[in-house]
Amino acid sequence: MTQREWVERDFYADLGVPSDASTEHIKKAYRKLARELHPDANPHDSRAEDRFKTVSEAHAVLSDPVKRKDYDETRRLFTPGASGRSGFHAGAESGAGGSGGNFGLGDLFGRSSPFTSTGDLFDRTTGTRPRRGSDIETDTRLTFRAAIRGTVVPLQVSGVATCTACHGSGTTPGTTARACPRCYGMGLVTRNLGAFGFSEPCDDCRGSGFVIDAPCPDCQGTGSGHRTRTVNVRMPAGVCDGQRLRLPGQGEPGLRGAPSGDLYVRIHVTEDPVFGRDGDDLTVTIPVTFSELALGATMSVPTVEGTVGMKIPAGTAAARTFRIRGRGAPRRDGTAGDLLVRTEVTVPPKLDTTAAEALRAYAHAERASGFDPRAKWAGRR
């Protein structure tokens, strides 16, 4: 829980109890609200889930005597009328003749203080601290087979990058930054106000914790600049269309020595004229003749890595699917899916005289044997 939340949140109102409620009263109110708002009782209700978190936070503070005492003291300091007493209030500029005995943060720090509200106070204590670099997202397109096999893709990324002259230090090559003598490298200085202490950015180092005497002439001490760089991205074997890869530390550089952001690469895979994909399994349709299904045959079946032989038993039905194990897409655990081979009967558009006569003879023999493909057909009348 941040100091700002302690100032702005009314935990008593969150639980629906008065500020002088007993510990038992607070626990009873929490148990009642927790039963009503629990996610198990309100599936897919984001508002109930948020409310459940709110009352849980309030209960965590008010049920602990030490935390509750600190919270009440903070409220009395910054919130007018809290717990039945008046205290500091954010943004007020009342002088000695102000009404109600209230005075603001401007009075607390002096009229020249830059802090005129609690928002200013808490934002200023963190706004200039070193911060992590921003994340970057880009797209790339792979062929189907490259996605299955895995490949290395060079990506051109434009934006803020680490300065190549100073390697992100912000100092002229050959020199180094020194710890700020005022804040001892912490970046913050503390004001003690009795029982309360407030931290604010060090003015000497602007919250960075160090001082650069000789800034890098290329980046003026920022440690970064705008350029286009090449990032070689290793695509693992078996990546899917729409998958998003994360490359830690390849995003924009952090401010004042903070860690860099991440690079996210969204993958788009082009369709293949031969193969399809169903999860970790690959699919392929192979054209066959009627005689190959009726008499049986050994077929040459393509895979991503080459061809394999597949035996078709005599009397195989049309549109049957065969499974060749381990010839699908690679998985993270080192195994692979299967290759699903579907047979599709192809009818010749035209027969020569010899073939036509042979087929008629076969048809006559087929009828004579008593075979009727529609004997058990539900549509037969």
Side-chain angles (χ1 to χ4, degrees):
M1 191 69 62
T2 65
Q3 289 177 322
R4 186 170 190 171
E5 287 179 299
W6 280 46
V7 173
E8 296 179 349
R9 287 273 298 277
D10 186 343
F11 296 136
Y12 294 104
D14 290 340
L15 292 177
V17 298
S19 59
D20 58 352
S22 65
T23 301
E24 186 59 34
H25 188 184
I26 289 172
K27 291 182 178 180
K28 182 177 180 181
Y30 168 70
R31 286 194 293 266
K32 179 177 181 295
L33 290 172
R35 285 194 298 269
E36 296 174 357
L37 300 170
H38 196 279
D40 291 344
N42 301 273
H44 312 299
D45 188 341
S46 59
R47 294 182 62 183
E49 182 179 353
D50 292 341
R51 181 83 175 98
F52 178 76
K53 292 178 181 178
T54 298
V55 299
S56 297
E57 291 174 348
H59 174 258
V61 173
L62 300 184
S63 63
D64 185 313
V66 176
K67 291 182 180 179
R68 183 180 181 183
K69 180 181 178 182
D70 291 342
Y71 171 68
D72 288 341
E73 290 179 353
T74 305
R75 294 269 294 168
R76 282 193 293 269
L77 281 172
F78 289 102
T79 307
S83 301
R85 294 175 57 183
S86 297
F88 302 138
H89 65 96
E93 292 292 344
S94 55
S99 61
N102 293 333
F103 59 101
L105 289 173
D107 297 304
L108 178 63
F109 292 109
R111 293 290 179 175
S112 62
S113 171
F115 303 118
T116 58
S117 70
T118 56
D120 292 335
L121 171 65
F122 293 111
D123 289 341
R124 287 287 296 277
T125 58
T126 58
T128 58
R129 293 290 292 159
R131 64 175 182 270
R132 177 180 177 275
S134 299
D135 295 334
I136 301 174
E137 184 163 346
T138 187
D139 295 80
T140 189
R141 183 168 292 278
L142 304 177
T143 65
F144 185 90
R145 301 188 190 210
I148 297 300
R149 294 170 179 164
T151 186
V152 175
V153 179
L155 295 180
Q156 299 294 314
V157 180
S158 297
V160 178
T162 301
C163 176
T164 56
C166 66
H167 304 290
S169 68
T171 62
T172 297
T175 66
T176 58
R178 58 186 174 89
C180 176
R182 182 183 180 192
C183 64
Y184 305 102
M186 297 299 294
L188 296 173
V189 292
T190 302
R191 290 176 180 267
N192 291 317
L193 304 170
F196 241 164
F198 294 98
S199 295
E200 60 182 341
C202 174
D203 291 334
D204 290 4
C205 65
R206 297 184 180 179
S208 67
F210 55 85
V211 177
I212 298 176
D213 296 314
C216 171
D218 285 17
C219 65
Q220 287 73 50
T222 63
S224 61
H226 193 283
R227 66 184 177 90
T228 299
R229 56 193 170 99
T230 300
V231 179
N232 291 318
V233 181
R234 180 174 296 279
M235 300 291 174
V239 292
C240 304
D241 182 64
Q243 187 172 341
R244 194 165 173 252
L245 293 184
R246 172 178 169 264
L247 280 71
Q250 291 295 331
E252 292 188 357
L255 179 66
R256 299 188 180 95
S260 297
D262 300 333
L263 172 63
Y264 290 89
V265 182
R266 189 173 298 279
I267 301 169
H268 304 276
V269 180
T270 58
E271 293 185 0
D272 190 85
V274 176
F275 298 102
R277 185 166 181 173
D278 183 8
D280 292 329
D281 295 333
L282 301 185
T283 62
V284 63
T285 298
I286 183 169
V288 296
T289 65
F290 170 75
S291 60
E292 287 173 328
L293 294 182
L295 301 176
T298 298
M299 310 296 298
S300 180
V301 178
T303 72
V304 173
E305 301 298 336
T307 59
V308 295
M310 185 185 75
K311 185 176 181 180
I312 298 179
T316 296
R320 177 179 170 181
T321 298
F322 294 86
R323 183 181 295 271
I324 303 178
R325 299 196 178 277
R327 293 288 184 165
R331 302 188 182 103
R332 292 184 179 181
D333 61 1
T335 62
D338 301 331
L339 177 64
L340 306 180
V341 184
R342 182 177 180 272
T343 58
E344 182 178 71
V345 176
T346 302
V347 177
K350 186 177 182 181
L351 296 175
D352 61 19
T353 302
T354 302
E357 290 177 353
L359 190 57
R360 290 190 187 96
Y362 166 77
H364 178 74
E366 184 181 65
R367 288 192 296 270
S369 70
F371 175 71
D372 183 358
R374 293 174 289 279
K376 297 182 180 181
W377 182 41
R380 182 172 182 173
R381 296 183 181 276

